Amino acid sequence: MDLTKHKRVRLKGKAVAKLNREIHERDSYTCIVPGCNRFVIIGEKWHHEPCGKNKEDVPEKGCLLCLDHHIQRESKNGETIRQACEDYLNGLYPERSNQIAPRGS
């Protein structure tokens, strides 16, 4: 078991704008929730998954959500959207599933 402390990546300025553009392009400027496909403007920042204290500014931990799904994910009933985000990101980055912090940590 690796107990090495991991420093979270937090970007600012041009670096975070570049990542935002990359995630929008990767996700084709659309919400990743199955069946939604709403357009997400470049001015809207991506969603961090996991959110909260474990969020990082890296492509494998960010995806696009439309405003409705973003609000739903951040609510206490956001489990379905959380799962959609995790499934989507794990499909793009299979190694990611081994890096996710346990829920509640």
Side-chain angles (χ1 to χ4, degrees):
M1 180 154 102
D2 183 12
L3 298 175
T4 306
K5 187 167 181 163
H6 175 75
K7 183 173 170 133
R8 286 178 186 63
V9 176
R10 301 299 294 169
L11 302 175
K12 294 181 182 178
K14 290 182 181 179
V16 77
K18 180 177 183 256
L19 178 60
N20 190 53
R21 189 172 46 259
E22 289 171 0
I23 290 174
H24 274 74
E25 289 172 3
R26 181 200 66 199
D27 294 352
S28 300
Y29 294 83
T30 58
C31 179
I32 59 87
V33 174
C36 180
N37 295 319
R38 287 189 199 140
F39 183 78
V40 180
I41 63 172
I42 191 72
E44 179 104 14
K45 190 176 175 199
W46 74 92
H47 168 74
H48 291 92
E49 192 62 53
C51 50
K53 69 179 185 175
N54 292 318
K55 67 184 178 182
E56 280 191 89
D57 295 338
V58 294
E60 59 272 14
K61 292 188 178 181
C63 59
L64 291 185
L65 295 177
C66 67
L67 183 58
D68 289 342
H69 284 124
H70 206 133
I71 291 169
Q72 186 178 349
R73 169 59 183 103
E74 308 271 335
S75 77
K76 62 183 177 182
N77 299 318
E79 182 63 24
T80 302
I81 306 304
R82 181 194 65 79
Q83 191 62 56
C85 292
E86 287 188 4
D87 291 347
Y88 177 77
L89 291 168
N90 288 340
L92 292 174
Y93 308 99
E95 68 283 358
R96 177 186 181 276
S97 60
N98 297 326
Q99 301 170 358
I100 299 174
R103 294 205 50 204
S105 63

